[in-house]
Amino acid sequence: MYISQQQASGLGRIILAFKNTPMQYARLMKKEVVKLANGTSENPAVSIAKIGYYAAVQNFMFTALQTALFAAYGDEDEWD
């Protein structure tokens, strides 16, 4: 498998990892919405719960941790 020069760089690994997570959440939510729309979901309540979980809970946790990480990383003046 080939990777781009951006993916191979140190900074690219960090930035692209944070960009990939929200895209994966959106992919999982879309999959559950399509299942509900097509009527192929075995349990609609579980599909709705997954959509809510990835749209709200998981997104909130990821954003909070990402913000904390960047705040800690960018706060180098306090360490001097």
Side-chain angles (χ1 to χ4, degrees), residues 41-58:
S41 178
E42 292 179 19
N43 189 347
V46 171
S47 291
I48 292 170
K50 284 182 182 180
I51 293 168
Y53 177 73
Y54 286 112
V57 177
Q58 196 71 334

Side-chain angles (χ1 to χ4, degrees), residues 12-59:
R13 288 180 184 171
I14 294 169
I15 292 173
L16 291 175
F18 284 101
K19 288 290 189 185
N20 186 41
T21 302
M23 289 189 304
Q24 293 300 320
Y25 294 159
R27 182 186 60 82
L28 291 169
M29 287 186 293
K30 180 183 175 192
K31 181 175 134 182
E32 293 301 324
V33 168
V34 169
K35 279 184 182 179
L36 284 172
N38 292 338
T40 57
S41 178
E42 292 179 19
N43 189 347
V46 171
S47 291
I48 292 170
K50 284 182 182 180
I51 293 168
Y53 177 73
Y54 286 112
V57 177
Q58 196 71 334
N59 200 1

